Amino acid sequence: MTHKGYKNLTHQLQKFIEQKNNAKIIPLLEGLHAADLAEILDQLDFEDALYVIRLLESDVTADIIAELDDDLKEKILENLSAKEIAEEVEELETDDAADIIADLPEDKKVEVISHIDDKDHAKDIVELLRYDEDTAGGLMGKEYIKVNENWNVLRSVAEMRKQAEEMDKVHTIYVVDDHDRLEGRLSLKKLLTTSTKTPIKEVYNDNIHFVNVNDSADEVARVMQKYDLFVIPVVDEMGVLVGQITIDDVVDYIKEEAEKDYQMAAGISEDVEANDNLLQQMRARLPWLIVALVGGFISVIVLSGFGNAMNKYGTLFFFTPLIAATAGNVGVQSSAIVVQGLANGTLNGSIWKRLLKEVSLSLVNGIILAIILLLIGKFLLDHILTGFDMKMGITVAISLVTVIIMASLIGTFIPLFLHKRGIDPAVATGPFITTSNDIFGIYVFFTIAKLILGF
Amino acid sequence: MTHKGYKNLTHQLQKFIEQKNNAKIIPLLEGLHAADLAEILDQLDFEDALYVIRLLESDVTADIIAELDDDLKEKILENLSAKEIAEEVEELETDDAADIIADLPEDKKVEVISHIDDKDHAKDIVELLRYDEDTAGGLMGKEYIKVNENWNVLRSVAEMRKQAEEMDKVHTIYVVDDHDRLEGRLSLKKLLTTSTKTPIKEVYNDNIHFVNVNDSADEVARVMQKYDLFVIPVVDEMGVLVGQITIDDVVDYIKEEAEKDYQMAAGISEDVEANDNLLQQMRARLPWLIVALVGGFISVIVLSGFGNAMNKYGTLFFFTPLIAATAGNVGVQSSAIVVQGLANGTLNGSIWKRLLKEVSLSLVNGIILAIILLLIGKFLLDHILTGFDMKMGITVAISLVTVIIMASLIGTFIPLFLHKRGIDPAVATGPFITTSNDIFGIYVFFTIAKLILGF
């Protein structure tokens, strides 16, 4: 049944493990979904989790291992022998099997594969290991049903029965030619209502969406989402049907990508979770902080270059955080829009048109902010801030508009540039844009102040 | 037929529309998927798009309208009469139909519903309109197959045929009792291999995942993702089966939420796309910039409070951007981890444990950054920065560690607090955290400097 708390069950389980009371552990866990069992094991100490994995049958534990949290999965696999892993892998569909083997050290990989008894299964897994994990090939499985266009209905039904044996669920029946090239699909309804002698050629539907084995996972997600598909066939360069991708794997991919992009925008460079340990968290967060610190030093040096303003116009220095923060915020906004537009394909038109649009928008936003600034300057700061007069107010306002335009241009240009170079533009948002805009913003501010106030 | 460029086709289409050459438009668009047609219409001027919608049959245009970009959809619906909209809606599945009607003005809503000829369809749509769009009820459709546990196989097959007529695709056969309460599911295989007299009661599977009609869309997404489901049944408070959710709608929801969170983190408060017009972009971006500007003014006032340091320790003011940026970055990192942990349910344990972990991490990161700062101070700044000595370096280093700890606490605490109050913690990341940490950071920095250096 759905989503219950497992607190009680986990406590009982811990007690039974401590007592090594296997006779009670097995019935306690019986009938639970692998995803639930994985969630329960994630709560246990590693030794206890390993104990349960070793206790249960491999047809149960295989699915549990496939669902485990990455850290625990890795640790468990380290502690299982190649033969034990091969037994687990034997029970899994090819895509899950390949995912598990892909993470093993090279020599253990070979050993595990050699221990797989079903040689066809092993061959399929080896094929899947060739593909990059962020491509259609990396997402697909080798379990699908195909019939030859030259068979008749009777033979097709017989062959389908054979093929369907090792599958959880049949979604689509693919039709191929003599060279295994994808020709279309066959509806179950058609198959059941057509006379048994009819060749498949005459009844199949050639209107079918597919992806190429080298297409990116993003492209697969885009096509499946656009056409509301639950499964999509995968073909190689020759048009030969080589696999099938199911939407559940694409959902996992979409979720992971979204989390990675979000973390990247927040200056977290490795995929971490709230419960990861201190070292993992540090590795993910410290690099960007160091980048930002170096940026901070550059701004110290830039500011010191305008140090002679301090005697007469020291008040200017009170405005540096305001200018720097605005530059950073504007840059992040612009880059986020561009990064997202690139990711979901909604960004049309040329770079120049895009930059022009950002400049117009910044001009409008900048002028509104400048007016607010002048009003606050006139009615508040003029009275409470020594050294502030309207000439300085106008200086800050002009700088603000200039800095906003410049920051939005940088925020727009950098991700577009990275994208053209084949680099993931998501790295450009967050600390990188903020830091560079801080520095440029401060430099522009004091340069304008120098021109207007003269120091 | 997958993902080709439509540039040529769009150009041709524009030419034919200009010539009002309907005889050429219809065959040009024939056989294209509704999602492709929607993409093509999104490229046209509004008047041209409306022309095409009016030209094609409603069984084609209904699906196109359901797939259109929100802006164009809204404009098209404004220009169609209630009767015309009713004709479109009649062709759609209930969930898509309800989504279209939900966005209409109140009086038009009623009028459209009154024009729907199929009264059962209208009743289903009215029921769906009751639910909030971010709940299971808002995601579900009324198209599904159910059989009564007291029927026999023969009757079930006959009833299923009737129900299946108006459906695109059958995914699962649900089993209900005499009060329509969900009891389980029936596999097609079982149905086909069991004698026709057997009551359903004896052959159905009672192991089924379901959600409640009031469950949040997030919960639906979590359950479907966890158990790799393509469809999930929805029950009401009495356990009565009221609808079914398909994974394609959940995929759309997950994508939209991820984009919203990402934009929110970047200080963009409304859902906008790269190609939205200037006014929409401004409305989405300006509010946060104003918040940040107000924050900037507060930092001006805070800094002016330490203005008397300028004579002797003016160099301190060169470090404000460094301190402010570090505080902002650390705060955003901490809050992003918490926001994401809350969203995907990986954040376990108490608030105090969480805060303690962040403090430890900040202490480690802070000390490493402080050491880097002292080294750069000693070997670089000491020589090139007038007014800088190691006493000031130590002051900045101590401030840096303090500010990092404080910023991470604020970044952790605010989203947890908002979450407890029932507010979406995603609003806390981005400009809000950055701005408040800027101010606190600067205040802490100068307070510490005052204590150590004395001014």
Side-chain angles (χ1 to χ4, degrees), chain B residues 21 27 41 78 91 131 151 154 156 192 194 225 281 307 324 329 356-358 383 397 406 417 420 446:
Chain B
N21 191 343
L41 294 197
E78 271 170 27
E91 302 286 342
Y131 302 109
W151 296 348
L154 188 68
S156 297
L192 296 175
T194 308
Q225 196 192 356
Q281 294 270 1
N329 284 331
L356 187 70
K357 189 170 179 181
E358 282 295 324
H383 306 289
M406 187 212 62
F417 174 79
K420 276 229 160 170
F446 276 91

Side-chain angles (χ1 to χ4, degrees), chain A residues 258-260 262-263 271-272, chain B residues 335-346:
Chain A
E259 296 194 353
K260 244 191 341 206
Y262 187 82
Q263 294 198 345
D271 187 31
V272 285
Chain B
S335 63
I337 291 285
V338 173
V339 166
Q340 225 164 39
L342 288 170
N344 62 24
T346 56

Side-chain angles (χ1 to χ4, degrees), chain A residues 1-3 6 33 35-36 39 43 67 171 188 208-210 215 219 222-223 225-228 230 246-248 251-252 254-255 258-259 261-263 265-268 272-276 278 281-282 285-286 288-290 292-293 296-297 299-301 303-304 307 310 314 317-322 325 329-330 332-334 336-337 339-341 344 346-348 354 357-358 360-361 364-365 368-369 372-373 376 381 384-385 400 429 431 438 442, chain B residues 1-3 6 33 35-36 39 43 67 171 188 206 208-210 215 219 222-223 225-228 230 246-248 251-252 254-255 258-259 261-263 265-268 272-276 278 281-282 285-286 288-290 292-293 296-297 299-301 303-304 307 310 314 317-322 325 329-330 332-334 336-337 339-340 344 346-348 354 357-358 360-361 364-365 368-369 372-373 376 381 384-385 400 429 431 438 442:
Chain A
M1 293 261 117
T2 67
H3 51 96
Y6 305 113
H33 191 285
D36 292 319
E39 220 166 84
Q43 306 294 320
E67 300 271 353
H171 301 289
L188 200 62
I208 186 167
H209 295 283
F210 59 86
D215 282 346
E219 174 65 9
R222 197 188 65 76
V223 173
Q225 195 192 354
K226 178 172 174 187
Y227 300 110
D228 293 343
F230 288 14
T246 53
I247 187 72
D248 51 318
V251 170
D252 293 342
I254 290 174
K255 273 282 224 185
E259 296 194 353
D261 284 353
Y262 187 82
Q263 294 198 345
I268 300 171
V272 285
E273 278 181 14
N275 295 317
D276 283 349
L278 217 63
Q281 294 270 1
M282 198 186 85
R285 299 199 208 176
L286 192 58
W288 277 125
L289 293 180
I290 292 177
L293 186 70
F297 276 114
S299 66
V300 168
I301 291 167
L303 278 172
S304 73
M310 206 164 269
F317 288 87
F318 301 161
F319 285 92
T320 47
L322 185 152
N329 284 331
V330 169
V332 168
Q333 286 183 336
S334 299
I337 290 284
V339 167
Q340 225 163 38
N344 62 24
T346 56
L347 194 72
N348 308 319
R354 177 89 235 139
K357 189 170 179 181
E358 282 294 324
S360 325
L361 179 62
V364 177
N365 280 347
I368 295 174
L369 292 175
I372 297 175
L373 187 136
I376 297 187
L381 296 189
I384 64 169
L385 196 62
L400 195 70
T429 48
D438 272 13
I442 290 169
Chain B
M1 266 308 290
T2 67
H3 53 94
Y6 305 114
H33 191 286
D36 292 320
E39 220 167 85
Q43 305 294 317
E67 299 271 354
H171 301 289
L188 200 62
D206 67 354
I208 187 168
H209 296 284
F210 58 86
D215 282 346
E219 173 65 10
R222 198 188 64 76
V223 173
Q225 196 192 356
K226 179 172 174 188
Y227 299 111
D228 293 342
F230 289 13
T246 53
I247 187 73
D248 52 316
V251 170
D252 292 343
I254 291 174
K255 273 281 224 186
E259 296 196 352
D261 284 353
Y262 187 81
Q263 294 199 344
I268 299 171
V272 285
E273 279 182 14
N275 295 316
D276 283 349
L278 218 63
Q281 294 270 1
M282 198 186 86
R285 301 199 207 176
L286 193 56
W288 277 125
L289 293 180
I290 293 177
L293 186 70
F297 276 114
S299 67
V300 169
I301 291 166
L303 278 172
S304 73
M310 207 166 267
F317 288 86
F318 302 159
F319 286 91
T320 46
L322 186 152
N329 284 331
V330 169
V332 168
Q333 286 182 337
S334 299
I337 291 285
V339 166
Q340 225 164 39
N344 62 24
T346 56
L347 194 74
N348 309 318
R354 177 88 236 143
K357 189 170 179 181
E358 282 295 324
S360 324
L361 180 62
V364 178
N365 280 347
I368 294 174
L369 291 175
I372 297 175
L373 187 136
I376 296 185
L381 296 188
I384 63 168
L385 196 62
L400 195 70
T429 49
D438 271 13
I442 291 169

Side-chain angles (χ1 to χ4, degrees), chain A residues 231-283:
Chain A
V231 293
I232 195 166
V234 183
V235 301
D236 69 7
E237 293 82 351
M238 315 273 288
V240 171
L241 178 65
V242 291
Q244 173 180 268
I245 298 171
T246 53
I247 187 72
D248 51 318
D249 293 323
V250 173
V251 170
D252 293 342
Y253 174 79
I254 290 174
K255 273 282 224 185
E256 280 165 26
E257 284 304 295
E259 296 194 353
K260 244 191 341 206
D261 284 353
Y262 187 82
Q263 294 198 345
M264 209 119 73
I268 300 171
S269 56
E270 276 180 54
D271 187 31
V272 285
E273 278 181 14
N275 295 317
D276 283 349
N277 67 39
L278 217 63
L279 188 70
Q280 288 168 313
Q281 294 270 1
M282 198 186 85
R283 267 211 314 252

Side-chain angles (χ1 to χ4, degrees), chain B residues 121-235:
Chain B
H121 195 54
K123 215 182 103 202
D124 284 342
I125 293 171
V126 169
E127 184 197 329
L128 292 183
L129 287 174
R130 285 210 317 256
Y131 302 109
D132 187 275
E133 62 167 338
D134 285 347
T135 63
L139 286 173
M140 73 186 188
K142 301 293 290 181
E143 287 82 5
Y144 52 85
I145 304 282
K146 66 175 180 198
V147 298
N148 188 304
E149 58 174 349
N150 295 316
W151 296 348
N152 62 23
V153 168
L154 188 68
R155 175 159 178 207
S156 297
V157 172
E159 298 275 353
M160 279 172 55
R161 281 234 174 84
K162 258 191 277 173
Q163 296 176 30
E165 256 172 35
E166 53 190 46
M167 286 180 62
D168 271 4
K169 219 171 180 178
V170 175
H171 301 289
T172 308
I173 305 158
Y174 300 111
V175 178
V176 296
D177 67 10
D178 287 335
H179 304 285
D180 265 346
R181 285 184 294 229
L182 180 67
E183 293 284 321
R185 64 195 156 93
L186 186 65
S187 86
L188 200 62
K189 210 164 149 192
K190 255 296 175 12
L191 196 70
L192 296 175
T193 56
T194 308
S195 104
T196 53
K197 292 281 168 61
T198 317
I200 297 300
K201 204 180 273 188
E202 291 175 17
V203 289
Y204 81 82
N205 182 345
D206 67 354
N207 185 3
I208 187 168
H209 296 284
F210 58 86
V211 288
N212 190 288
V213 74
N214 295 317
D215 282 346
S216 69
D218 283 332
E219 173 65 10
V220 175
R222 198 188 64 76
V223 173
M224 292 189 80
Q225 196 192 356
K226 179 172 174 188
Y227 299 111
D228 293 342
L229 305 174
F230 289 13
V231 293
I232 196 165
V234 183
V235 301

Side-chain angles (χ1 to χ4, degrees), chain B residues 357-402:
Chain B
K357 189 170 179 181
E358 282 295 324
V359 172
S360 324
L361 180 62
S362 312
L363 197 65
V364 178
N365 280 347
I367 288 172
I368 294 174
L369 291 175
I371 291 170
I372 297 175
L373 187 136
L374 286 174
L375 289 175
I376 296 185
K378 174 121 191 92
F379 295 106
L380 184 69
L381 296 188
D382 224 3
H383 306 289
I384 63 168
L385 196 62
T386 38
F388 182 86
D389 56 16
M390 276 325 276
K391 198 171 174 193
M392 185 175 283
I394 289 167
T395 304
V396 178
I398 291 175
S399 304
L400 195 70
V401 177
T402 315

